[in-house]
Amino acid sequence: MRSYLELALLSTVAVCASVLTAAGSSTADSNVVLDGGIHVRADVSSVCSQIGDALSSASALYYPGSINYLEDNYHWLLSSSQSSTCTVEPGTASDVGEVLQILGATNTSFAIKGGGHASNPGFSSTTGVHIDMSRFSSVTYNAGASTADVGAGLVWDDVYQELQPHGVVVVGGRVSGIGVAGFTLGGGYSWLTSQYGLTVDNVVGFELVLPNGTVMGVTEGSNPDLMFALKHGKGGYNNFGIVTQITLKTYPIGQIWGGLITYTENTFPQLAQAVANFSENNTDPKAQILTTYNSAIGFAGVTQVLFYDAPTPPDGLFDQFMAIPYFTKDVGTMSFLDLVKLTPSNATANTRGVFNTVSILDYSVDMLNVIANETTYWGSELTWASGFLVSFDVEPFLPSLFSHGTTSASAYPPSRAQPLLPLNLCWTWLDEADDERFWEAITQSADNVKAKAVSFGQNVGNAPLYGNYAIFSTPLEYIFGDQLARLQSIKQRYDPGNVMGLTGGWKVQV
Ligand SMILES: Cc1cc2nc3c(=O)[nH]c(=O)nc-3n(C[C@H](O)[C@H](O)[C@H](O)COP(=O)(O)OP(=O)(O)OC[C@H]3O[C@@H](n4cnc5c(N)ncnc54)[C@H](O)[C@@H]3O)c2cc1C
Ligand SMILES: *[C@@H]1O[C@H](CO)[C@@H](O)[C@H](O)[C@H]1NC(C)=O
Ligand SMILES: *[C@@H]1O[C@H](CO)[C@@H](O)[C@H](O)[C@H]1NC(C)=O
Ligand SMILES: *[C@@H]1O[C@H](CO)[C@@H](O)[C@H](O)[C@H]1NC(C)=O
Ligand SMILES: *[C@@H]1O[C@H](CO)[C@@H](O)[C@H](O)[C@H]1NC(C)=O
Ligand SMILES: *[C@@H]1O[C@H](CO)[C@@H](O)[C@H](O)[C@H]1NC(C)=O
Ligand SMILES: *[C@@H]1O[C@H](CO)[C@@H](O)[C@H](O)[C@H]1NC(C)=O
């Protein structure tokens, strides 16, 4: 008999599935703008009405009390939300330009939200002016060029849905509900990454609105500097302007094979063997796994997602996973979109949480045992907290994952010298009073994992960390690596007034 808790845990395991790794370091960094609140001036509401006057009829402004206001401020994690003074839904790139110019001229804190899945507080929320990009929602397939123009306000599900009738797909999110913009601008680890690289490796162009209101098409040919900068996450972690549209390469896709299996703690040793064997020995770029270790009070389990880019996988490839006694199993031939929808991501609605990450080079049996131990250790250590869930996502891509898209440099990863396989820590809880203890604990846990990886001979002590998974206190050298100086000089050219410094996120300039 399974307990209620086991059932609840195993059925929600997928919540953080497909996410991150952790690595954090605990030094707070002043270059990270955590909370726009401190910059907010008393007259933000007059800035709101100034914006309202400047907008065309394609756009709208909302205040507290309206449903749009609530939806605009909504995030996947409650701790990533704030109550803004007003929200703006721009409907055209030129309106985005109007808004940015007013915000810059009035020195007003603001936020830019795509899908709202930022794991760090204040990265896409503010008490000032909140910009919601949801009106940028079109998908245009260019069959001749094998590309798709995708609006910055979409979630990946919508993009897959639109492209499915054409028999094509883009290199995007693995679970339901993730935003196209933040995901792409941060790097983007996909089910198709071993085959085609990161999402940024598959960007052909951006439409970008500069802080001075200029709307620019950015391509490798027209502007290699900005192209490089934007490939560093979140519009260069939103350092250079607001992206309104992204042009992505498309690839043929048919029915795929995959699904979701859950296992209980007693299978961890067998699972470690299977995952390590896949990680160390698989050479097939169409195969992918995502292994999520979860634990809550007194119970641990794993959610295993399997993926193969064909209606059936080669004989034997996933046999080890299929042979382990499972708790639930939903595996078969389905569409790419159906696989993504198997792991809904909106179940956390009222929880707080944070991510962290470690860059791993080898998911060996020893490494996986460490991760399993961290899972059960924190499951018993955090029992003072209410409603917590700790999870660790193991993401073993092929070591060649960074060999795609190298013709155009990208700021993430800041170095392609090592095949960094992200481990994502995703921890959630209920009580705001527990925030700091969780931030400390998740930092400690990532440090433990990193120290063990180093002790196993993995050269990851100073390895770059994935900014879409890293906790806000991560020192910037881990996010920007050797690319910081180049990014700062590009920033100087396109945002000399540091208008984008008024919004939260990883900052190339204070
Ligand atoms: C359940 C879950 C699953 C995930 N799975 C994966 C995964 O499989 N692979 C992976 O790589 N990552 C994954 N992530 C991490 C994900 O990449 C980040 O959370 C990412 O920031 C989400 O983008 P968003 O648009 O939804 O977030 P938002 O919170 O809307 O934005 C994130 C950041 O991007 C900036 N931004 C948003 N839109 C724009 C814009 N138009 N112009 C400029 N800046 C902008 C925001 O200001 C903010 O700083 C996952 C996260 C969650 C919560
Ligand atoms: C903008 O506001 C910040 C924070 O309040 C302040 O430090 C800065 O000097 C202001 N800049 C200008 C140009 O007014
Ligand atoms: C990887 O393959 C080698 C050679 O077949 C085998 O000896 C090794 O045990 C495999 N690794 C794992 C973790 O199973
Ligand atoms: C590793 O996986 C392969 C399939 O990719 C399988 O043939 C082999 O038996 C596995 N190795 C072990 C030690 O189980
Ligand atoms: C999650 O989203 C789906 C699809 O949008 C919806 O049907 C479901 O009710 C949502 N669940 C929660 C808990 O909000
Ligand atoms: C499990 O992890 C905890 C916390 O990092 C550590 O103190 C303990 O020594 C680990 N146990 C084993 C067997 O590695
Ligand atoms: C805006 O900035 C860009 C980049 O510096 C510049 O080319 C453009 O002329 C500027 N536009 C205006 C209206 O100042």
Side-chain angles (χ1 to χ4, degrees):
M1 276 290 279
R2 304 290 173 186
S3 70
Y4 169 75
L5 185 60
E6 279 178 300
L7 281 168
L9 183 56
L10 284 171
S11 61
T12 57
V13 279
V15 161
C16 300
S18 95
V19 194
L20 342 139
T21 312
S25 138
S26 51
T27 332
D29 196 299
S30 61
N31 287 1
V32 174
V33 176
L34 247 194
D35 181 346
I38 53 165
H39 299 299
V40 169
R41 302 167 355 152
D43 54 353
V44 177
S45 48
S46 79
V47 174
C48 289
S49 53
Q50 202 181 328
I51 288 171
D53 292 343
L55 294 174
S56 76
S57 59
S59 305
L61 186 82
Y62 299 100
Y63 288 102
S66 82
I67 289 181
N68 292 71
Y69 170 89
L70 290 177
E71 285 175 354
D72 291 350
N73 280 322
Y74 176 84
H75 287 75
W76 182 68
L77 290 167
L78 195 59
S79 46
S80 294
S81 286
Q82 294 182 79
S83 295
S84 61
T85 304
C86 60
T87 71
V88 191
E89 293 180 9
T92 64
S94 84
D95 278 357
V96 170
E98 294 290 337
V99 174
L100 275 181
Q101 287 177 88
I102 293 168
L103 293 170
T106 57
N107 197 23
T108 305
S109 292
F110 66 98
I112 314 156
K113 192 186 91 172
H117 274 60
S119 48
N120 283 320
F123 273 39
S124 55
S125 70
T126 181
T127 55
V129 174
H130 180 94
I131 303 172
D132 177 279
M133 297 298 288
S134 59
R135 295 190 182 206
F136 292 89
S137 59
S138 72
V139 177
T140 307
Y141 174 48
N142 316 302
S146 296
T147 61
D149 301 328
V150 170
L154 290 162
V155 297
W156 290 109
D157 310 47
D158 303 328
V159 180
Y160 299 147
Q161 177 91 57
E162 288 296 316
L163 295 178
Q164 191 164 273
H166 302 287
V168 295
V169 72
V170 289
V171 178
R174 284 173 290 188
V175 307
S176 188
I178 320 296
V180 164
F183 182 103
T184 302
L185 292 167
Y189 288 90
S190 167
W191 291 122
L192 302 167
T193 287
S194 287
Q195 279 190 87
Y196 307 125
L198 300 172
T199 302
V200 279
D201 296 330
N202 290 282
V203 175
V204 175
F206 293 97
E207 182 179 78
L208 175 71
V209 183
L210 294 176
N212 71 5
T214 300
V215 181
M216 281 185 79
V218 179
T219 62
E220 187 61 28
S222 73
N223 197 320
D225 269 352
L226 265 183
M227 192 69 176
F228 160 84
L230 291 175
K231 288 182 173 190
H232 197 292
K234 300 165 192 161
Y237 294 108
N238 70 30
N239 282 288
F240 301 92
I242 296 184
V243 169
T244 45
Q245 183 173 285
I246 305 171
T247 303
L248 292 164
K249 287 184 190 165
T250 59
Y251 296 97
I253 190 101
Q255 292 282 99
I256 60 95
W257 182 91
L260 204 145
I261 309 178
T262 59
Y263 303 107
T264 50
E265 185 179 349
N266 58 314
T267 65
F268 281 6
Q270 281 164 276
L271 196 70
Q273 289 291 339
V275 174
N277 188 17
F278 179 88
S279 185
E280 292 180 343
N281 291 327
N282 172 59
T283 55
D284 187 339
K286 295 181 176 209
Q288 194 92 69
I289 65 169
L290 183 60
T291 306
T292 306
Y293 287 87
N294 299 280
S295 111
I297 299 171
F299 175 74
V302 157
T303 302
Q304 177 64 56
V305 188
L306 303 176
F307 173 82
Y308 195 82
D309 184 7
T312 42
D315 282 348
L317 184 59
F318 295 116
D319 282 3
Q320 264 180 297
F321 294 95
M322 306 304 266
I324 301 170
Y326 58 83
F327 179 54
T328 64
K329 185 157 127 194
D330 183 2
V331 175
T333 302
M334 61 186 83
S335 71
F336 191 87
L337 180 60
D338 285 343
L339 179 72
V340 167
K341 294 243 188 233
L342 273 185
T343 51
S345 81
N346 59 354
T348 57
N350 287 308
T351 68
R352 310 183 69 76
V354 77
F355 287 176
N356 204 356
T357 185
V358 186
S359 292
I360 299 289
L361 295 178
D362 178 11
Y363 284 110
S364 61
V365 170
D366 285 346
M367 197 70 246
L368 292 159
N369 287 341
V370 166
I371 293 164
N373 175 57
E374 283 296 310
T375 306
T376 51
Y377 173 82
W378 291 104
S380 55
E381 194 66 15
L382 300 170
T383 48
W384 46 264
S386 62
F388 77 92
L389 173 69
V390 303
S391 78
F392 295 76
D393 285 293
V394 170
E395 308 193 8
F397 300 93
L398 285 184
S400 56
L401 86 163
F402 291 152
S403 66
H404 307 268
T406 42
T407 51
S408 99
S410 63
Y412 183 82
S415 162
R416 294 194 175 231
Q418 290 181 301
L420 307 173
L421 309 177
L423 171 73
N424 176 243
L425 285 68
C426 168
W427 295 17
T428 59
W429 61 94
L430 294 178
D431 190 350
E432 182 172 2
D434 294 336
D435 285 3
E436 290 193 15
R437 289 176 79 180
F438 270 89
W439 295 339
E440 272 167 36
I442 199 170
T443 301
Q444 161 103 57
S445 181
D447 286 350
N448 292 344
V449 174
K450 179 157 111 173
K452 286 290 189 352
V454 169
S455 80
F456 297 150
Q458 300 188 30
N459 181 19
V460 292
N462 296 308
L465 297 172
Y466 182 35
N468 274 355
Y469 292 171
I471 191 169
F472 54 85
S473 48
T474 303
L476 284 191
E477 62 254 35
Y478 288 101
I479 305 295
F480 294 112
D482 297 339
Q483 311 290 356
L484 189 55
R486 182 175 176 194
L487 289 165
Q488 281 168 338
S489 87
I490 299 170
K491 165 90 177 173
Q492 195 51 42
R493 200 160 130 213
Y494 293 100
D495 185 18
N498 197 16
V499 172
M500 300 308 292
L502 294 163
T503 191
W506 306 113
K507 294 291 141 186
V508 302
Q509 187 183 322
V510 251

